[in-house]
Amino acid sequence: MSVKIIAEIGQAHNGSLGMAHAYIDALSQTEVDTVKFQTHIAEAESSIYEPFRVQFSKQDATRYDYWKRMEFTIEQWEGLKQHCDEKGIEFMSSPFSNAAVDLLEKLDVNCFKVGSGEVTNFLLLERLAQTSKPLVISSGMSSFEELDKTVDFLKSRDAEFSILQCTTSYPTRPEQYGLNMITELKARYNVPIGFSDHSSNIETSIAAVTLGAEIIEFHAIFNKEMFGPDVSSSLTIEEIKVLTKAIRNIEKANANPVNKNDNSSFKKLKAIFEKSLAVNKDLNAGHIIAFSDLEAKKPANKGISATNFKDVIGKTISRDMKKWEFLTKQDFK
């Protein structure tokens, strides 16, 4: 099965519909499967008392004002999904309220993303389970105790879901990646496991794929000097092109395991690169071959294989030999 690659636009559009469409165009030129947004309805999810995660904005008096500015109308969301459809990439979004789920259901999305802060929001999970759509859950802020309860809740409702190892830190430092969790989550929950990356480095997701991640998610940005809360943990479009190509190459490698019991395809190369025994000095007939008399020279099959050098040590040659001549069985008495 192919690794599902999700590029999160999130709020990188900064409230600009035109910028949101520009991201779809740019990401469609990479090998991502999905572009992901976040669907915020300020009145339904936030209040004026919500603190800023980081004080990045000079134009929004409150976090609530920021979420308000990030909203799109249903018609605008429909246009974004249609754009994705036209580009042949999946549209996905993270709802942060039941009202947002209702909006996204009107778009007939394929599945839903559950953000790290919503894992214990059973009200939202109940609404999502009611859609019967697959869920992709980020585990960034959750303990195993919390995840166990969420998994039990979703299983009790016959929900189809996958879990992403994620660290809610922007950007994530190497000691916070938690790559070990990929195998631990697989063993604990027996569901598809992926990796949601905030490191701003391509090698993190590459490592996750080699460790068995079935889904990869990362934030996308046009330029790391841009404005927004997730810029420091995002990848540029050019970095995404490199990353997606690497992931697809790893997929091909994993789909074509090498059989070390069969090296027949190297027959011609082995004849060129492997070596035969030769003498490294002039020797007279009757000389007893010592290790110090021997060299291995290309190509193979010119006499005795270098593999069998021990077989000739202590044997007597039957003719005079010139330096660098190959040794054959006929050279011994």
Side-chain angles (χ1 to χ4, degrees):
M1 188 176 78
S2 296
V3 175
K4 183 170 186 171
I5 305 177
I6 304 170
E8 174 161 2
I9 296 170
Q11 291 93 244
H13 54 73
N14 198 34
S16 165
L17 182 63
M19 185 70 77
H21 281 285
Y23 272 108
I24 294 172
D25 282 330
L27 288 166
S28 71
Q29 301 303 309
T30 71
E31 295 187 60
V32 303
D33 299 296
T34 304
V35 294
K36 191 184 84 66
F37 291 89
Q38 296 182 10
T39 302
H40 295 281
I41 300 175
E43 289 91 343
E45 74 171 81
S46 184
S47 72
I48 61 172
Y49 305 105
E50 180 189 0
F52 277 99
R53 190 187 81 215
V54 289
Q55 190 65 47
F56 64 90
S57 175
K58 297 185 182 300
Q59 67 188 104
D60 305 303
T62 66
R63 185 76 158 165
Y64 176 92
D65 292 330
Y66 174 68
W67 295 134
K68 192 71 178 173
R69 193 163 57 80
M70 292 299 105
E71 292 181 9
F72 292 130
T73 66
I74 180 65
E75 292 78 17
Q76 290 170 330
W77 280 119
E78 287 172 342
L80 290 168
K81 183 178 184 298
Q82 182 180 353
H83 191 175
C84 289
D85 292 343
E86 291 169 353
K87 292 295 183 180
I89 50 180
E90 180 186 26
F91 171 95
M92 184 187 289
S93 190
S94 301
F96 291 86
S97 62
N98 284 12
V101 177
D102 294 341
L103 184 154
L104 291 169
E105 273 289 84
K106 293 176 183 177
L107 304 183
D108 194 26
V109 296
N110 296 326
C111 64
F112 292 94
K113 171 69 192 298
V114 179
S116 294
E118 308 300 324
V119 173
T120 59
N121 181 356
F122 281 25
L123 181 72
L124 178 67
L125 294 178
E126 175 68 28
R127 178 66 189 96
L128 288 169
Q130 291 171 3
T131 71
S132 299
K133 302 281 182 68
L135 310 178
V136 180
I137 301 169
S138 275
S139 63
M141 293 185 280
S142 303
S143 66
F144 268 137
E145 181 181 1
E146 292 170 328
L147 274 178
D148 287 347
K149 292 177 181 177
T150 296
V151 167
D152 288 344
F153 180 86
L154 293 173
K155 286 185 174 180
S156 73
R157 282 148 179 80
D158 294 322
E160 179 185 345
F161 63 94
S162 53
I163 300 174
L164 306 184
Q165 161 56 16
C166 173
T167 300
T168 308
S169 179
Y170 305 85
T172 312
R173 302 187 306 275
E175 58 270 26
Q176 298 175 310
Y177 292 168
L179 291 167
N180 61 296
M181 291 305 303
I182 294 171
T183 52
E184 289 190 40
L185 289 167
K186 280 179 180 282
R188 191 179 186 97
Y189 298 122
N190 194 31
V191 297
I193 300 298
F195 189 83
S196 180
D197 184 34
H198 298 136
S199 71
S200 192
N201 295 308
I202 64 173
E203 63 265 24
T204 316
S205 290
I206 292 172
V209 171
T210 63
L211 291 170
E214 299 168 64
I215 304 167
I216 292 294
E217 179 190 57
F218 46 79
H219 284 267
I221 197 74
F222 279 130
N223 187 300
K224 293 187 181 182
E225 301 302 317
M226 292 179 72
F227 173 85
D230 301 315
V231 172
S232 66
S233 57
S234 300
L235 298 176
T236 66
I237 302 300
E238 291 306 310
E239 288 175 322
I240 291 169
K241 288 179 180 178
V242 174
L243 171 59
T244 54
K245 183 176 181 180
I247 290 174
R248 297 311 181 203
N249 285 339
I250 292 169
E251 283 181 340
K252 291 177 184 176
N254 288 338
N256 293 276
V258 170
N259 179 7
K260 274 303 220 181
N261 291 314
D262 179 10
N263 65 348
S264 58
S265 63
F266 297 108
K267 185 176 181 180
K268 290 183 179 179
L269 287 176
K270 286 170 68 68
I272 295 171
F273 287 103
E274 293 186 354
K275 296 180 176 181
S276 303
L277 289 176
V279 295
N280 60 16
K281 59 178 72 72
D282 291 343
L283 299 175
N284 295 322
H287 180 81
I288 297 174
I289 295 292
F291 180 83
S292 58
D293 298 323
L294 299 174
E295 187 55 270
K297 291 168 59 68
K298 291 183 257 187
N301 306 318
K302 289 299 291 183
I304 298 171
S305 170
T307 303
N308 301 320
F309 77 93
K310 289 183 179 180
D311 294 344
V312 305
I313 293 175
K315 290 189 175 180
T316 303
I317 57 174
S318 58
R319 66 180 180 91
D320 293 342
M321 298 192 68
K322 295 293 185 181
K323 184 179 182 180
W324 304 132
E325 278 193 81
F326 286 105
L327 277 168
T328 67
K329 291 180 179 179
Q330 289 70 37
D331 294 324
F332 298 101
K333 293 181 180 178

